[in-house]
Amino acid sequence: MEESGSVDSVESLFSVPLHCIMFFCVQVYKDPSKGELPLLPEELVQDSAKDVTYICPFIGPVRGSLTVTNYRLFFRCTDREPVFGLDLPLGALSRAEKIGAATSRGDVSYGLVCKDMRNLRFVHKELEDSLKKSAFEVLMKFAFPVSNNMSLFAFEYKQVFPENGWKVYDPLAEYKRQGLPNESWRISKVNDHYELCDSYPAALFVPVTITDEELRRVFSFRAKGRIPVLSWIHPESQAAVVRASQPMVGQNGRRCKEDEKLLQAIMDANAQSHKLFIFDARPSVNAAANKMKGGGYESEDAYQNAELVFLDIHNIHVMRESLRKLKEVVYPNIEESHWLSNLESTHWLEHIKLILAGALRIADKVESGKTSVVVHCSDGWDRTPQLTSLALIMLDSHYRTIRGFQILLEKEWLSFGHRFQQRVGHGDRNHTDADRSPIFLQFIDCVWQMTRQFPAAFEFNEYFLITILDHLYSCLFGTFLCNSEQQRLKEEVPKRTVSLWSFVNSQLEEFVNPLYVHYPSHVLFPTVGIRHLQLWVTYYIRWNPRMRPQEPVHQRYKELLAKRAELQKRVEELQREAANRTASSSSERAGSPTRSITPVQTFV
Amino acid sequence: HCSADCEIVVNEANFVRKCISAESCQDDLWGKLVCTNFKVSFITHNSLPRQRFQCTHRLLGEHDIPLACVEQVVTVNDVKGKQKILGSNQKLKFNPTELILYCKDFRIIRFRFDEAGPESAKKVCLAIAHYSHPADPQLLFGFEYVGKRYHGSTGERVNGVDPGGGMQTTLFDCSSDWDREIKRTGASEWRVCTINQGYFISPSLPEFFVVPVSLADQDLKQYACFFYSQRIPLWCWNHSSGSALVRMSNISDLQQQRKVEQRISSAITKSHPLRSDVFKSDLDKNLPNIQDIQAALLKLRQICVIDPFEESEEKWLSSLESSRWMEYVRTFLRHAVEVVYMLESRNVPVILLEKEDRDLSCVISCLVQLMCDPHCRSLHGFQGLIQKEWVMAGHRFLDRCNHLKKNDKEESPVFLLFLDCVWQLWNQYPAAFEFTEVYLTVLGDSMWVPIFSTFLFNCPRQRAENSRDFASSKSIHLGQDQALRFPPVWDWSQQFSLKDQTLFNNPLYVGKIATCVQNGTVKTFTHRRSKKNYSSTLRGLPSALRNGSLGPNDTLARRNSLVLRLRSDLSQVREQQETPSERFIRDFFSRPVDLQGLLLPQLLPSHLSVWKLYFLRWVPEAQIPQGGPITAFHKLSVLTDEIDMLQNQLRQYKGAGGTPNNLHAEHSKMYFKATSTPHQPPAPPEYLSSSFPFSPVGNLCRPGILGSPLSKFLNGAKIWLSTETLANETI
């Protein structure tokens, strides 16, 4: 009896919220004979090694066998019952290397740094046959296919799902939902073949009063040609959310009259307000410093009626550093006595606060001030989509549904060219690349913060957000590959890969928040104080075996829903029977139908 | 209401302004400031700027503050730049222009006297200061309140407590209550001891308590004098395995210490089914003392409601850490888990040792029972638990609440700390408790409504003596009662309507099998049912083997040699030397939770949260309009109500066979009820916010920060953001 107790506890180390198990975590195999690796379509075993030891930071060394496929690393423990496995998509690896030289006993140690807040450590014996590659060398080849001139697993994976997720986002349908085009806004085909801006989508909405000829001149005035175009329009006030990159003002204060006219036209398209707010996401110092490099910000002289506001959000390098510190604080173990001050010193929540506060100000300006806004940072592909998409979630309840959220990601992040390939570094060995940054993770964190504050306002649950993040790294789906719409088309990503939404939308019930109700007032104003922000422990600390998913309210809610359905059925049955009884002869008293009912258990 | 005939107006001032926002006075309310022998009242005909919801209190109006809730009375003359904290019987040399009341429940309320007569302003301030510092416990309003009822009584409600007030809570003030608890927990080797009847042995013990059967009354009388305040060790509870939880004060006579301790321990061992040795847990050594706890709360209050919101944002987390409140909450929970481990896994009886056995023991013994015994997680079980471990065991509520404001050194929020610990458990297992966080918050607030037997006294004897004295001094005929019968706080109808009391009912609660007491006998014991859930894999082994098998090296020894070799090779890898109790916790977390069984909290600091409803409810900037956990509660409540309605329908079909009538609405246990269109769940009402059912409006007006952006927050983020001043500040 005692023995089995201890085995249970080993299993517990790896038991994580059930929903996380599917792709990413450790799987627990109750039956060792079934501890086989479940291979995906087109997934092939590349190598395997026995007698590998996983140095678990929580329980110490665990022995087992290691399998490397073209998609994942799979470690199967053999010295414990029940057998458990460690299942890691290679895409989640940021860095994999041999640590130190072989010891006198011939043991070699490998460290794996993961993008999902884990570090793994393995030890195995140096191979006697020095010509044969070890499983770890094979792993490093498949972990970084891009660096090895191979293709990502997403291009091999051929699973067929009932729904095709690539069809989720149809830009014209989405703009049509917003009532566009209308008398003030038109679609421009000027970038139809991405010739003016290769990081923008083909379909751009601009004020009708601006000609394509004028737009062409604006392209050369905005950084990377990312001109001010419409993201969203308020259904009643017609106040618009417009996104752009910084103007190329430079030290000499260059001006562009077409750009000035465009912003004036954006303001004029909204009859409710005679002002335009320009939200520059950067700290004002950074914005000023950009003038040295030819960039800068709109001067209020050149743009009359426009008011410029800086939102103080830091750049990708600051954010990367903050996440690095956060990982140090949460993995593997938490220093208990200084947890809060350590967390504070990472500034992670402070950055989350600034991003949410910025988005809140944008949403407030549009909703309460009925004023159109232009949002930009430097290139308009990092802080800008963070701000616009969060503001849109606050403003438009459609984006709080599962499909609406997918559309939002496809539109604000993917079609407008957030550089996923660069920021995540899919399949790229160069982990020190200064272009990597957790910008998208921050955005998902902000969304999670909002779901905590408004538990009934979002159709999706936490698992949905975690799934998106897991597949941001996994390279199983094509959704987050490449840097822009143009690149994805060139690589034929929609043809050659499966969309994450195909997978998600084929099992929607997994991702539904049962507490969801449609809010009548469609605007949410979250409270952005640090007091109301919390660390997303179920994501950042999910590998810690001392953490356990909270007693899920959702689970209980589903039980209650089932209970209600059952009761409704019984009541309806009885109503029918009662109706039948009165209809038939009243003398037939013998078999009272109510007797068949089992006593109902009392609830609350 | 009935308080009217015993409440006397002491002083009042007209044309007083109650400040609603710190910056501008445009929302301020005009009215009359009244001081009675019960409360500070503000009577106004204006309504608050925003329509909002508030739970209506039967004894207190929207703007009322009970005198017992006033922590500090500060008068200000802003023209002369003077400020004075007023105590009892003091003089005031200037005419106040402003009065600020700092309340024990974290509210800060401000009045201005610009238009009031200077003399009447001064008088009302002095009256408030004086009456909020009663010189004698009998001046606390509760005496007047309860005493009046005896005067006018006509026999039906003789004792001031509504006999039919739904009082199913065991008060543990009679020997049969203890007998039932012994039976409920299966503590057959324990008995009720009556030697303290009339409080002749110990002044701070209750008249009835439980001791090992092997100790005769004669022995106990003999031992009593060795203990601090003659407190004979008290039985708290029995684990289903037979291990008892006992609390004990220090033995004052050091020479006798060993001998007496041995006698007590061996008696407890004799009462154990396996004759296991006793484990002693020294609380004074392992837990913060009452001054530490008080200091932590003061710091927490500083950062929650006094420091300006925006400025304190940046350092919020480290300030929270340096307040140490969360650390103490965790320390208490962790210590309780250690005790649970001894009872549950080691199967040994535990003695909680504390110098006086009247503070820390109350917290730990309650937490242990809450974790182990699902009965304590029902509403009445929880209330009975507080009666047993706090009220009867003699927690010095009078001193700890500092109702008389005489000795600040004795003031300490031990009970609030306990409530916070319970909230943490609740927050981690919301479906395991019959009550809600609103209940816990309101229970905490009730400490400052000085009419309840629960919170007015230091021990049962003090209650008896004070009320006897009061009765004789007022020539009240007590009839059959021994003493004035103060209502316990559990008589919730004293404070809230039945409708408002439904806010206490948790729609998620699973269970509810045990608590029905019918005709004085408990019908079902949840405890029995859950016995199997307690069982650890160890039960049934001989105790010697069990203890031997718990060594930390146990699991390691079973690993093969490779692992052991690796350990030496990889010395840089930090080995986790897991203690047996850590393994016990990990074991627990490896299994699915049984909400009717053992519950252990997650103790990682990242998994404890600030009890926002309690600590931040008055802070306007921290309010989430139309958001917060209440919006989920709303939906759950509606669904639960629907289920209830369907079950009623079924019952009616089954019973009378008639058509279902619409009595449901009146009997619903849920605050938010199902609508007629059940498949279209309504959106959360507009008035819901994270502060619900409380409201920051008019309840938090920080002084001395005129000109700060505070008021911009007062009407919600929308308006604040539109003013655009923040932009100018940040640039």
Side-chain angles (χ1 to χ4, degrees), chain A residues 82-98:
Chain A
V83 169
F84 70 83
L86 182 81
D87 188 348
L88 174 86
L90 297 177
L93 287 175
S94 150
R95 182 177 174 184
E97 52 196 26
K98 205 187 233 182

Side-chain angles (χ1 to χ4, degrees), chain A residues 280 282-289 297 310-312, chain B residues 730-731:
Chain A
D280 187 328
R282 302 166 291 184
S284 56
V285 188
N286 298 22
Y297 50 88
F310 293 101
L311 294 175
D312 277 329
Chain B
T730 49
I731 285 170

Side-chain angles (χ1 to χ4, degrees), chain B residues 576-627:
Chain B
Q576 298 269 306
Q577 274 298 339
E578 200 179 34
T579 65
S581 72
E582 277 170 357
R583 211 181 103 203
F584 163 71
I585 297 170
R586 212 188 58 197
D587 244 15
F588 169 81
F589 284 127
S590 75
R591 285 188 293 264
V593 179
D594 174 9
L595 294 175
Q596 285 294 306
L598 177 71
L599 292 187
L600 295 183
Q602 301 199 72
L603 290 168
L604 281 180
S606 51
H607 287 73
L608 299 187
S609 321
V610 177
W611 185 8
K612 292 189 191 119
L613 183 67
Y614 190 91
F615 295 114
L616 296 175
R617 61 192 149 149
W618 313 120
V619 184
E621 305 92 323
Q623 205 186 7
I624 309 169
Q626 292 186 64

Side-chain angles (χ1 to χ4, degrees), chain A residues 12 341 344 453 530 532 548, chain B residues 313 318 321 334 590 593 622 628:
Chain A
S12 76
S341 49
E344 186 175 277
Q453 296 195 16
I530 290 282
H532 272 297
R548 161 219 198 81
Chain B
E313 272 283 284
S318 49
E321 181 176 292
R334 180 198 297 268
S590 75
V593 179

Side-chain angles (χ1 to χ4, degrees), chain A residues 577-592:
Chain A
E577 281 177 36
N580 288 344
R581 230 181 336 166
T582 41
S584 66
S585 96
S586 52
S587 59
E588 256 181 76
R589 289 252 168 103
S592 172

